[in-house]
């Protein structure tokens, strides 16, 4: 006898599935919807209108400037980053830790502050001009833009190549090549360099994206000489946004910038995956720190760090301390009045930046932590990679996209800037938390549950203490980037919503050099302090 089949109960989404859907909708609102709006407006009148917008006078030149300057900065960053990694990772110098810190120092210096420092150190009337009677030719123009972007992007190439030397470069093969009579240069060219190819490609893609996205450096060093890039043209075009054709040109440039960035990321990732994996078979092939060549390499690297990071910072501090432009930066001309004016003039902007950075840090940690906790297992492959893609979206293009999506109701408000910060920087919170969750010992949670602890008690007593260093690192990292962010803030601010970085940029453009320098020094001091706390938090992260 065939009994009628019992109807299956309706499918109900699990709690985890519902949370995943909610997170997906939130991420779509932060980044997906704005990018869709950007593309919709860019192609609203068809491909012909988009092409015409890119063909407006000066736009093609800005695109060419962007591409070749980014390519030049990428090549220089790879050369300098690889050379620095070989010195710090292949030479057993006693001061390796200090050299590594010096190579990474530009990460903690906001790019536009670095540009200001270079202008005060090597520009006309700068520190070198005061004491040696000369300045760096071409600092204001294409040469200076490429040079300072290189200095700011180089630490990323250095980090990737140094990691490659630690994980891919095969010591036994290098020793075999040397034992067979190959010179150090031949061993590097025939053995080490081919093994480092995936790392070099990844570093090249990363630095190119950073260079293409650069705004603070070209606006301060390129604009005075008439050297426009895509980001500075977007910035200038928004000032004429009342003109529909000008605004369409801005949207088209922003869409093109997104396309260029995603294309570079896709090609870089594809080439990197083709590199495969390499297994280590021996200890690093270092050389003695007492070797003359090793000492000379360390001295050259120290000179590079001094010239590119310490001297510009020193020049900026001296300019902030000097009573007036044109006076020699000697103790007899020093004063703290510029810092007093900076505090009086930027007090509100400082509090605005502080509040926005704190809110962005908390929001990014909540969002990044939720994605890290839920996007695991089979879903980790696609959902866990979304933060990286959102971080790769150029800040200028993201600001225009968010303005199109939410500017109608939130224009000139702090909330609009906060949305941009969250959309851009939540990846910085996701990475450390996801890494700690991956290393979380499951047995500890099971032991707590087996001992009678409830789910929330197990999370509070086991998971939270283990994740505390990662959460602290994520908070500080997002705070650091948000506090000195300039690109999106300069495009989205309105009356009363100026951030400290925007005030510094505006003051510099009207020529208030000394107070601008004082504000930049104060901003950098806060960033360096946050960076120091970040280093302490990172040291407590589980390995």
């Amino acid at each position: 006898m065939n009994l009628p089949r019992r109807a299956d109960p309706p499918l109900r989404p699990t709690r985890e599935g519902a949370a995943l859907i909610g997170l997906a909708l939130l991420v779509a609102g932060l980044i997906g919807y704005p990018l869709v709006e950007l593309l919709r407006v860019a192609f609203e009148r068809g491909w012909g209108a988009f092409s015409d917008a890119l063909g407006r006078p000066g736009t093609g030149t800005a695109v060419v400037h962007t591409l070749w300057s980014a390519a030049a900065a990428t090549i220089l960053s790879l050369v300098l980053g690889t050379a620095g990694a070989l010195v710090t990772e292949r030479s057993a110098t006693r001061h390796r830790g200090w050299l590594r810190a010096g190579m990474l120092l530009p990460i903690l210096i906001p790019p536009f502050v670095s540009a200001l420092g270079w202008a005060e150190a090597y520009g006309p009337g700068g520190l070198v001009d005061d004491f040696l009677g000369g300045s760096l030719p071409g600092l204001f123009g294409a040469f200076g833009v490429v040079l300072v972007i290189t200095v700011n992007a180089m630490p990323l190439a250095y980090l990737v190549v140094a990691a490659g030397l630690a994980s891919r470069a095969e010591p036994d093969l290098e020793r075999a090549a040397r034992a067979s009579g190959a010179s150090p240069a031949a061993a590097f060219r025939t053995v080490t360099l081919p093994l480092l190819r995936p790392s070099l490609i990844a570093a090249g893609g990363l630095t190119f994206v950073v260079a293409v996205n650069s705004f603070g450096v070209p606006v301060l060093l390129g604009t005075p000489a008439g050297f426009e890039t895509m980001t500075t043209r977007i910035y200038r075009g928004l000032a004429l946004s009342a003109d529909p054709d000008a605004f369409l040109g801005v949207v088209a440039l922003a869409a093109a910038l997104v396309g260029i960035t995603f294309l570079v990321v896709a090609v870089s990732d594809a080439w990197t995956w083709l590199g495969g994996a390499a297994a280590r078979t021996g200890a690093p092939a270092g050389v003695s720190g007492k070797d003359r060549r090793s000492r000379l390499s360390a001295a050259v690297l120290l000179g590079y760090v001094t010239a590119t990071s310490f001297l510009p910072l020193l020049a900026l501090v001296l300019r902030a301390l000097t009573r007036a432009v044109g006076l020699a930066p000697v103790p007899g001309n020093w004063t703290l009045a510029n810092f007093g004016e900076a505090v009086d003039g930027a007090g509100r902007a400082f509090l605005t930046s502080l509040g926005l950075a704190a809110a962005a840090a908390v929001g990014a940690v909540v969002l990044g932590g939720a994605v890290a906790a839920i996007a695991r297992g089979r879903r980790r492959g696609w959902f866990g990679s979304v933060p990286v893609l959102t971080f790769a979206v150029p800040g200028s293009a993201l600001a225009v996209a968010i303005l199109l999506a939410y500017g109608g109701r939130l224009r000139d408000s702090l909330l609009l800037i906060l949305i941009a910060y969250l959309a851009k920087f939540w990846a910085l919170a996701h990475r450390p938390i996801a890494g700690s969750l991956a290393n979380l010992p499951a047995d500890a949670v099971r032991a707590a549950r087996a001992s009678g602890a409830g789910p929330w008690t197990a999370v509070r007593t086991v998971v939270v203490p283990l994740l505390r260093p990662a959460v602290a690192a994520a908070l500080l990292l997002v705070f650091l980037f948000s506090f000195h962010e300039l690109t999106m803030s300069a495009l989205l601010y309105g009356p009363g919503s100026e951030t400290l970085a925007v005030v510094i940029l505006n003051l510099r453009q009207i020529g208030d050099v000394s107070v601008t320098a004082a504000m930049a020094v104060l901003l950098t001091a806060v960033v360096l302090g946050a960076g120091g706390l970040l280093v302490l938090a990172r040291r407590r992260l589980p390995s």
Side-chain angles (χ1 to χ4, degrees):
M1 179 177 180
N2 293 327
L3 295 177
R5 184 178 177 181
R6 186 176 179 179
D8 293 331
L11 294 177
R12 295 182 180 179
T14 63
R15 182 178 300 178
E16 181 182 352
L20 183 62
I21 293 173
L23 278 176
L25 292 175
L26 180 58
V27 171
L30 274 178
I31 189 72
Y33 172 60
L35 288 182
V36 169
E37 278 294 291
L38 178 68
L39 295 177
R40 182 189 66 80
V41 174
F43 292 96
E44 190 173 25
R45 302 180 187 177
W47 175 260
F50 178 80
S51 179
D52 291 342
L54 290 180
R56 290 172 62 89
T59 300
T61 302
V63 173
V64 173
H65 285 171
T66 299
L67 294 179
W68 80 253
S69 63
T74 298
I75 294 171
L76 290 173
S77 297
L78 285 176
V79 172
L80 293 173
T82 302
L86 288 171
V87 173
T88 59
E89 309 307 314
R90 285 291 193 256
S91 298
T93 57
R94 291 188 303 170
H95 305 295
R96 178 186 297 175
W98 288 106
L99 289 175
R100 286 172 174 165
M103 292 292 287
L104 297 176
L105 180 60
I107 289 181
L108 296 178
I109 302 175
F112 71 94
V113 172
S114 182
L116 290 173
W118 273 72
E120 297 302 334
Y122 302 111
L127 188 64
V128 173
D129 196 8
D130 286 337
F131 289 99
L132 300 180
S135 60
L136 186 63
L139 179 61
F140 288 94
F143 173 73
V145 169
V146 171
L147 194 60
V148 179
I149 289 178
T150 297
V151 171
N152 284 278
M154 181 278 303
L156 301 176
Y158 167 79
L159 282 173
V160 176
V161 175
L165 285 172
S167 61
R168 292 193 58 89
E170 186 54 71
D172 285 350
L173 293 179
E174 294 175 358
R175 295 188 183 99
R178 294 299 306 278
S180 300
S183 64
F188 173 76
R189 187 181 66 256
T190 59
V191 177
T192 306
L193 194 58
L195 289 171
L196 283 178
R197 188 175 293 118
S199 297
L200 291 172
I201 292 171
L206 185 61
T207 53
F208 186 87
V209 169
V210 170
V212 165
N213 293 347
S214 180
F215 168 72
V217 175
V219 79
L220 290 171
L221 298 181
T223 300
F227 183 81
E228 270 198 324
T229 63
M230 295 173 75
T231 55
T232 59
R233 192 163 180 84
I234 289 172
Y235 173 71
R236 189 166 66 89
L238 277 183
L240 305 173
S241 58
D243 179 2
D245 291 334
F247 184 71
L248 181 59
V250 168
V251 175
L253 263 181
L257 197 57
V258 172
I260 291 171
T261 302
F262 278 8
L263 178 63
V264 171
V265 170
V267 172
S268 174
D269 285 350
W271 281 0
T272 302
W273 292 334
L274 293 177
R280 300 284 291 185
T281 63
V287 297
S288 172
K290 298 180 180 179
D291 181 80
R292 182 179 179 181
R293 183 178 298 174
S294 174
R295 292 198 301 269
L296 178 61
S297 299
V300 171
L301 190 60
L302 180 60
Y304 167 83
V305 172
T306 301
T308 59
S309 295
F310 287 111
L311 195 57
L313 277 180
L314 175 63
L316 198 63
V317 172
L318 291 177
R319 175 61 66 201
L321 288 172
T322 304
R323 295 179 186 277
V325 177
L327 297 177
V330 295
N333 293 327
W334 287 356
T335 180
L336 294 177
N338 294 324
F339 286 96
E341 290 186 38
V343 172
D344 291 339
R348 179 175 178 177
F350 176 83
L351 293 177
T352 297
S353 293
L354 200 65
L356 279 172
V362 173
V365 164
V366 172
L367 179 59
V371 171
I374 292 176
R376 308 179 73 178
R378 290 178 297 175
R379 289 178 295 272
R380 186 185 302 171
W382 65 271
F383 201 70
S385 62
V386 171
V388 179
L389 294 177
T390 60
F391 188 68
V393 177
S396 299
L398 182 59
V400 174
I402 288 177
L403 192 61
L404 289 171
Y406 303 113
R409 295 183 178 181
L410 302 177
R411 191 181 182 94
D412 298 337
S413 69
L414 291 177
L415 183 56
L416 193 68
I417 300 176
L418 179 60
I419 292 173
Y421 286 2
L422 286 174
K424 180 73 173 176
F425 298 134
W426 70 285
L428 300 176
H430 172 267
R431 279 303 182 184
I433 295 175
S436 289
L437 279 175
N439 294 326
L440 190 68
D443 290 343
V445 179
R446 295 192 188 100
R449 296 286 285 129
S451 300
W456 289 110
T457 302
V459 169
R460 180 174 53 83
T461 58
V462 177
V463 177
V464 171
L466 291 174
L467 289 183
R468 191 175 291 126
V471 171
L475 285 168
L476 287 168
L477 196 58
V478 177
F479 177 88
L480 188 153
F481 275 78
S482 300
F483 186 77
H484 67 65
E485 201 283 328
L486 173 65
T487 306
M488 298 182 296
S489 305
L491 295 174
L492 297 176
Y493 84 95
S497 62
E498 300 93 341
T499 64
L500 184 56
V502 170
V503 171
I504 293 173
L505 175 63
N506 291 341
L507 275 179
R508 180 69 181 194
Q509 290 180 330
I510 64 176
D512 198 340
V513 177
S514 299
V515 177
T516 298
M519 287 184 183
V521 169
L522 293 176
L523 181 145
T524 306
V526 174
V527 172
L528 290 176
L533 294 175
L534 177 62
V535 171
L536 294 178
R538 293 289 294 176
R539 287 181 177 176
R540 297 187 60 188
L541 284 173
S543 58

Short mmCIF file of all heavy atoms in Angstrom, two decimals, residues 17 63 85 99 135 139 165 173 214 232 250 258 297 315 371 383 423 501 515:
data_model
loop_
_atom_site.label_atom_id
_atom_site.label_comp_id
_atom_site.label_asym_id
_atom_site.label_seq_id
_atom_site.Cartn_x
_atom_site.Cartn_y
_atom_site.Cartn_z
N GLY A 17 22.63 31.91 7.83
CA GLY A 17 22.29 32.34 6.48
C GLY A 17 21.64 33.70 6.47
O GLY A 17 21.93 34.53 5.59
N VAL A 63 44.77 61.60 -18.28
CA VAL A 63 44.82 60.13 -18.28
C VAL A 63 46.24 59.66 -18.61
O VAL A 63 46.78 58.76 -17.94
CB VAL A 63 43.81 59.55 -19.29
CG1 VAL A 63 44.00 58.03 -19.41
CG2 VAL A 63 42.38 59.87 -18.86
N ALA A 85 64.82 45.21 0.54
CA ALA A 85 64.53 43.89 1.11
C ALA A 85 65.77 43.01 1.09
O ALA A 85 66.03 42.25 2.03
CB ALA A 85 63.39 43.24 0.33
N LEU A 99 66.62 49.51 10.38
CA LEU A 99 66.51 49.70 8.94
C LEU A 99 65.12 49.32 8.44
O LEU A 99 64.55 50.00 7.58
CB LEU A 99 67.58 48.87 8.22
CG LEU A 99 69.02 49.35 8.38
CD1 LEU A 99 69.98 48.38 7.71
CD2 LEU A 99 69.20 50.76 7.78
N SER A 135 68.21 73.99 -4.79
CA SER A 135 66.98 73.23 -4.62
C SER A 135 66.94 72.10 -5.65
O SER A 135 67.76 72.06 -6.56
CB SER A 135 65.75 74.13 -4.78
OG SER A 135 65.73 74.73 -6.07
N LEU A 139 61.04 69.68 -8.81
CA LEU A 139 60.26 69.13 -7.70
C LEU A 139 58.77 69.43 -7.89
O LEU A 139 57.92 68.59 -7.62
CB LEU A 139 60.75 69.68 -6.37
CG LEU A 139 60.00 69.20 -5.13
CD1 LEU A 139 60.12 67.69 -4.98
CD2 LEU A 139 60.52 69.89 -3.87
N LEU A 165 61.06 36.88 -0.10
CA LEU A 165 62.39 36.37 0.25
C LEU A 165 62.32 35.39 1.41
O LEU A 165 63.12 34.45 1.50
CB LEU A 165 63.31 37.54 0.62
CG LEU A 165 63.83 38.39 -0.54
CD1 LEU A 165 64.55 39.61 0.00
CD2 LEU A 165 64.76 37.57 -1.42
N LEU A 173 69.00 26.41 -3.42
CA LEU A 173 69.31 26.67 -4.82
C LEU A 173 70.31 27.80 -4.95
O LEU A 173 71.19 27.78 -5.82
CB LEU A 173 68.03 26.99 -5.59
CG LEU A 173 67.02 25.85 -5.73
CD1 LEU A 173 65.80 26.33 -6.51
CD2 LEU A 173 67.66 24.66 -6.44
N SER A 214 46.73 58.17 -6.23
CA SER A 214 47.33 59.28 -5.48
C SER A 214 46.66 60.61 -5.81
O SER A 214 46.43 60.94 -6.98
CB SER A 214 48.83 59.36 -5.79
OG SER A 214 49.42 60.42 -5.08
N THR A 232 43.32 64.70 -9.68
CA THR A 232 43.25 66.16 -9.51
C THR A 232 42.22 66.77 -10.46
O THR A 232 41.59 67.78 -10.13
CB THR A 232 44.62 66.80 -9.75
OG1 THR A 232 45.08 66.50 -11.08
CG2 THR A 232 45.63 66.28 -8.74
N VAL A 250 33.43 64.39 -15.00
CA VAL A 250 33.94 63.89 -13.71
C VAL A 250 33.52 62.44 -13.51
O VAL A 250 34.33 61.59 -13.10
CB VAL A 250 33.41 64.77 -12.56
CG1 VAL A 250 33.68 64.11 -11.21
CG2 VAL A 250 34.07 66.15 -12.61
N VAL A 258 38.09 53.50 -12.00
CA VAL A 258 37.70 52.20 -11.44
C VAL A 258 38.07 51.07 -12.40
O VAL A 258 38.62 50.04 -12.01
CB VAL A 258 36.19 52.16 -11.13
CG1 VAL A 258 35.75 50.76 -10.73
CG2 VAL A 258 35.86 53.15 -10.02
N SER A 297 76.13 48.51 2.15
CA SER A 297 74.71 48.45 1.75
C SER A 297 73.82 49.03 2.83
O SER A 297 72.87 49.78 2.54
CB SER A 297 74.30 47.01 1.45
OG SER A 297 75.07 46.46 0.40
N ALA A 315 62.47 69.24 8.00
CA ALA A 315 62.23 70.52 7.33
C ALA A 315 60.83 71.05 7.65
O ALA A 315 60.63 72.26 7.85
CB ALA A 315 62.40 70.35 5.83
N VAL A 371 31.89 39.94 9.05
CA VAL A 371 32.18 39.23 7.82
C VAL A 371 33.20 38.13 8.07
O VAL A 371 33.08 37.01 7.54
CB VAL A 371 32.69 40.21 6.74
CG1 VAL A 371 33.22 39.45 5.52
CG2 VAL A 371 31.58 41.16 6.33
N PHE A 383 33.09 35.67 -0.47
CA PHE A 383 32.68 36.77 0.38
C PHE A 383 33.87 37.34 1.16
O PHE A 383 33.93 38.53 1.41
CB PHE A 383 31.59 36.30 1.34
CG PHE A 383 30.75 37.44 1.89
CD1 PHE A 383 29.87 38.13 1.08
CD2 PHE A 383 30.86 37.82 3.21
CE1 PHE A 383 29.11 39.17 1.59
CE2 PHE A 383 30.10 38.85 3.72
CZ PHE A 383 29.22 39.52 2.90
N ALA A 423 33.22 52.36 3.60
CA ALA A 423 33.30 51.61 2.35
C ALA A 423 34.74 51.35 1.95
O ALA A 423 35.05 50.29 1.38
CB ALA A 423 32.58 52.39 1.25
N ALA A 501 42.77 67.28 7.43
CA ALA A 501 43.52 67.18 6.18
C ALA A 501 43.02 68.19 5.15
O ALA A 501 43.81 68.80 4.42
CB ALA A 501 43.44 65.76 5.63
N VAL A 515 51.69 78.16 9.11
CA VAL A 515 50.60 77.55 9.87
C VAL A 515 50.23 76.20 9.26
O VAL A 515 49.91 75.24 9.98
CB VAL A 515 49.37 78.49 9.91
CG1 VAL A 515 48.21 77.82 10.64
CG2 VAL A 515 49.73 79.79 10.61
#
